[in-house]
Amino acid sequence: MKVANPLLPQPATIIDIIQETGDVKTFRVVLDDPDAMAAWRHRPGQTAMVSVFGVGEAMFCLASSPTSRDWIEFSIRRAGKVTTAIHQLEPGAKIGVRGPYGNSFPVEAMRGNDLLVIGGGIGLAPLRPLVNFMIAPENRKDYGNIEIIYGARSYGDLCYKEEVFRTWPETPGVTVWTTIDAPEEGWEGHVGFVPAYVAEIKPAPENKFVAICGPPVMIKFTLKELEKLGFKEEQIYTTLEMRMKCGIGKCGRCNIGAKFVCRDGPVFNLAALKELPPEY
Amino acid sequence: MVLKLLKKERLLSFLERLMQKFLLVAPVREGNLTVYRPVKAAAEVAVDAPKSVVPPKEWFFPQTEEIYRYATSKENLVLEENVLAPPAVLFGVRPCDLRSFQVLDAVFLQEPADRYYAARRENTLLIGMSCNTACPECFCTAYGISPLKGTGADIHLTDIGTAYLVEALTPKGEEIVLQDPEFYEEKVAGIDEALRAKEQALTAEFAVQVAVTDLPAKMAALFNHPYWEELSRRCLGCGICTYVCPTCHCFDITDENRGNTGKRLRCWDACLFRDYTLHTSGHNPRHALHQRLRNRFFHKLKYNLDRYGIEGCVGCGRCVALCPVNIDIREVIATVRGLQV
């Protein structure tokens, strides 16, 4: 009998690469074993380990919709050793994938409620599966209105433009607000930082969950605005990043107190997060 | 449980008999160090050697281990898993180290179980050995460990003068003992009293008596106490305490590459190293040494208990003996218990 080895990745192939911004690419990936691909299931907010053999392995959030059966996607910013190596790959390249890992956004608890999504830059990547899960035809009736506030430094730094400017706004019950940090030629939309835009839009807190991800400074100031608007810590969910090696609670390094981000996270609500030492 | 006596002069035959079926991993002397290694001859075994410097966890969780090989080409990727788990006997494990395997089991055998650790654990018969002397750094009894008890072993030996008391504690252990009745003699009267007296004498030799009552709750209240920064001023961040710790389980995974083929390796890592938690972005959740040192003590004395229901320290004292700047976990425990919240 073959015993499962959780550290052994699945061989996989990059089938498409979408240049999202200057330094972010989305990699569309298919597991080479058709049975493994057919059996793949992930929930919004979960992560997976990606291997570039000879360079190393790193953890990324799954950026594709949980309802996608034919491929999975990772949106990766070029920043370190592994991400730089991934950025050099072409369609057809072989990588390794293992996962999915971690908990997810509480899509069961969110049923019957509205959702406010707040993203900054590539921080939209872990929130994208949540939106796409909720607007999938089989799930849409289970969820209320979806408000999405998304900002980036410039127009060029906004990811998923097709969805942000077309698919999502055209979906009934979904409203999208976009903003960029500074004025630029050709941009007629909102200019300003995300926290200020949230204060301007004034989303109502009733029967609503919030999912927020972006640069720490954006999160920090946005939370202050949300608090002013009457949102409670229990309503607000975010997803944490940590350096990880195993993804399955053994290598040790993603601990915050007695919690491991790889297993007990990456999604935490703010009330739970405040119980932990400030080591994230 | 099967109880027998094994005369000391028969120990060599006992080990040789085991070697017919198993790879024997046992304490041997290398220079002035005791280490656990596979042996070629039973005579190599350092039966009366002092406690090993590097704990026997090395057998289940090696310092460096090849976990698989990869070969890549444009069209193909081949991964070849490398799980080495020969039928083995790990001999001469001290009671503190026996407990450490329970601590490591909680981590590595929790689903999804670590395939490498689990396979070796499954295929290894554990033979414990009671302590004959107390080292100055020992404090196992703080965690309810007796230096004379083989909890967790399949077979446990205790030196009672001219013979070893042999306790077969599991069905696997009983099978080994019962297959060679000619090796043993029946247990004689009066041994229990002798053991109790020996246990008392050993424990009394402990240089420092340590109590851990209420420690986790106390620590929780002292997370932000300046004590951790004061303590860290003499810490070098060298990580030797983690290297010799029988319960430390942190690891790194790296590739050793040669052209289109290579090995993926797993190596011990330490939470005291600066880049251990360093993000690619440059952000580091535990950028300061006192945060890292505090994390280590919290892990040993609180987090492990919170997470797995078993203490992360076994009182072996190796970190006490090896720390180049004399940071002493017994002193940390006493100080923390005495601090005002």
Side-chain angles (χ1 to χ4, degrees):
Chain A
M1 192 190 85
K2 177 129 176 67
V3 184
N5 184 342
L7 292 181
L8 202 66
Q10 297 267 3
T13 305
I14 295 173
I15 57 162
D16 200 5
I17 300 172
I18 301 124
Q19 185 86 42
E20 301 282 358
T21 74
D23 59 0
V24 176
K25 288 179 181 178
T26 293
F27 296 85
R28 186 167 287 180
V29 173
V30 173
L31 303 181
D32 289 352
D33 175 356
D35 293 340
M37 190 66 244
W40 179 277
R41 294 287 182 277
H42 69 267
R43 294 159 55 83
Q46 283 195 299
T47 59
M49 271 284 185
V50 176
S51 276
V52 182
F53 295 96
V55 182
E57 216 174 17
M59 188 71 98
F60 299 100
C61 70
L62 286 148
S64 45
S65 174
T67 57
S68 150
R69 290 283 163 266
D70 300 328
W71 62 71
I72 52 179
E73 285 177 341
F74 301 96
S75 294
I76 297 174
R77 189 161 70 90
R78 192 178 65 240
K81 207 171 61 157
V82 174
T83 56
T84 300
I86 293 174
H87 267 250
Q88 287 163 355
L89 298 176
E90 306 272 348
K94 295 289 177 190
I95 59 170
V97 174
R98 56 188 180 89
Y101 295 127
N103 69 353
S104 63
F105 288 104
V107 288
E108 279 81 23
M110 285 174 169
R111 273 192 193 175
N113 288 276
D114 293 339
L115 177 71
L116 169 60
V117 170
I118 305 174
I122 195 179
L124 192 60
L127 308 173
R128 180 190 184 216
L130 181 61
V131 174
N132 284 334
F133 175 82
M134 287 184 173
I135 67 170
E138 63 267 39
N139 300 325
R140 189 68 198 96
K141 62 179 188 322
D142 296 334
Y143 299 96
N145 292 325
I146 301 173
E147 298 163 289
I148 299 163
I149 304 172
Y150 179 43
R153 273 170 302 183
S154 68
Y155 175 77
D157 289 304
L158 292 164
C159 297
Y160 315 122
K161 292 191 177 72
E162 176 67 22
E163 281 156 310
V164 167
F165 292 108
R166 196 189 303 267
T167 319
W168 293 347
E170 286 174 4
T171 305
V174 179
T175 314
V176 182
W177 288 276
T178 47
T179 183
I180 59 174
D181 289 358
E184 63 184 55
E185 214 181 301
W187 175 259
E188 289 170 3
H190 188 274
V191 173
F193 296 126
V194 167
Y197 202 23
V198 170
E200 212 173 292
I201 295 164
K202 293 192 177 42
E206 290 77 27
N207 304 317
K208 193 174 287 175
F209 281 88
V210 184
I212 179 168
C213 187
V217 62
M218 182 212 89
I219 295 180
K220 189 178 157 193
F221 288 104
T222 304
L223 292 178
K224 286 184 180 163
E225 297 303 332
L226 291 174
E227 198 186 331
K228 281 187 214 159
L229 292 165
F231 284 90
K232 299 273 171 287
E233 284 172 354
E234 289 75 15
Q235 288 172 273
I236 305 171
Y237 285 79
T238 189
T239 166
L240 296 183
E241 279 190 303
M242 275 285 176
R243 186 170 180 154
M244 295 177 188
K245 290 290 176 175
C246 73
I248 51 175
K250 314 212 189 288
C251 82
R253 77 199 59 232
C254 70
N255 84 296
I256 307 174
K259 302 280 185 202
F260 283 134
V261 173
C262 68
R263 290 193 66 125
D264 307 311
V267 176
F268 290 89
N269 80 39
L270 285 190
L273 205 54
K274 280 212 171 155
E275 298 292 311
L276 300 177
E279 293 185 342
Y280 47 88
Chain B
M1 185 176 73
V2 175
L3 269 178
K4 300 278 184 193
L5 287 184
L6 179 70
K7 288 220 158 130
K8 280 192 169 172
E9 60 268 26
R10 290 205 177 125
L11 182 69
L12 215 59
S13 332
F14 171 80
L15 292 174
E16 279 163 354
R17 178 80 166 95
L18 288 171
M19 289 178 77
Q20 291 174 3
K21 271 196 184 167
F22 302 97
L23 176 71
L24 180 64
V25 182
V28 295
R29 295 293 281 172
E30 281 185 1
N32 58 355
L33 301 181
T34 308
V35 286
Y36 287 81
R37 294 275 184 267
V39 299
K40 290 202 177 66
E44 289 173 45
V45 179
V47 180
D48 296 316
K51 177 172 65 195
S52 68
V53 169
V54 178
K57 77 170 179 191
E58 214 183 356
W59 172 245
F60 298 124
F61 173 43
Q63 189 188 347
T64 302
E65 171 178 27
E66 177 189 318
I67 52 178
Y68 55 88
R69 285 170 191 234
Y70 57 83
T72 54
S73 65
K74 200 149 174 60
E75 289 81 33
N76 225 344
L77 166 63
V78 182
L79 301 179
E80 197 185 324
E81 185 185 35
N82 187 23
V83 179
L84 286 174
V89 167
L90 181 56
F91 175 81
V93 181
R94 303 289 176 183
C96 55
D97 290 334
L98 287 171
R99 168 72 70 84
S100 82
F101 298 148
Q102 293 176 35
V103 182
L104 293 173
D105 284 355
V107 175
F108 285 114
L109 300 183
Q110 183 186 62
E111 284 301 320
D114 184 85
R115 176 120 162 71
Y116 308 89
Y117 179 93
R120 275 189 292 270
R121 194 80 170 82
E122 174 75 27
N123 286 346
T124 300
L125 186 92
L126 271 183
I127 302 187
M129 175 71 86
S130 290
C131 295
N132 257 349
T133 53
C135 300
E137 67 273 13
C138 290
F139 65 107
C140 62
T141 51
Y143 295 107
I145 299 166
S146 159
L148 295 189
K149 286 215 170 66
T151 312
D154 294 298
I155 299 172
H156 190 68
L157 306 188
T158 302
D159 184 342
I160 51 163
T162 56
Y164 294 102
L165 177 68
V166 179
E167 300 168 78
L169 299 164
T170 65
K172 250 159 94 179
E174 282 178 5
E175 200 188 312
I176 297 289
V177 171
L178 295 175
Q179 72 182 358
D180 300 303
E182 69 280 9
F183 280 7
Y184 309 96
E185 282 151 58
E186 292 310 312
K187 194 189 155 204
V188 288
I191 284 182
D192 292 340
E193 292 73 25
L195 289 179
R196 263 196 294 280
K198 184 168 174 174
E199 185 176 54
Q200 275 176 6
L202 266 181
T203 312
E205 277 180 50
F206 285 5
V208 180
Q209 300 296 329
V210 179
V212 294
T213 326
D214 301 330
L215 187 62
K218 198 74 203 271
M219 292 191 73
L222 294 170
F223 187 83
N224 291 313
H225 197 281
Y227 171 67
W228 303 109
E229 193 162 355
E230 281 163 34
L231 184 69
S232 76
R233 282 188 204 135
R234 59 181 152 135
C235 178
L236 306 175
C238 72
I240 188 69
C241 51
T242 68
Y243 183 88
V244 298
C245 179
T247 68
C248 272
H249 60 80
C250 289
F251 59 79
D252 192 6
I253 294 179
T254 55
D255 286 358
E256 193 178 275
N257 201 48
R258 187 174 278 256
N260 293 325
T261 62
K263 300 168 185 172
R264 186 150 284 185
L265 305 172
R266 162 158 84 178
C267 315
W268 291 353
D269 204 348
C271 60
L272 287 163
F273 296 157
R274 198 186 162 276
D275 62 359
Y276 173 81
T277 47
L278 179 65
H279 292 198
T280 302
S281 66
H283 171 66
N284 195 341
R286 288 193 285 269
H287 57 89
L289 184 56
H290 81 269
Q291 296 172 313
R292 302 196 285 275
L293 188 64
R294 178 177 59 191
N295 182 69
R296 176 171 154 79
F297 283 117
F298 267 74
H299 183 202
K300 295 296 150 190
L301 306 175
K302 176 171 167 40
Y303 297 159
N304 211 81
L305 194 63
D306 289 350
R307 188 168 184 89
Y308 301 108
I310 184 168
E311 271 129 334
C313 177
V314 299
C316 74
R318 288 181 176 97
C319 58
V320 178
L322 270 294
C323 179
V325 294
N326 298 324
I327 291 177
D328 185 331
I329 192 169
R330 299 168 303 178
E331 204 178 288
V332 172
I333 292 169
T335 308
V336 165
R337 290 187 69 226
L339 284 175
Q340 292 300 314
V341 176

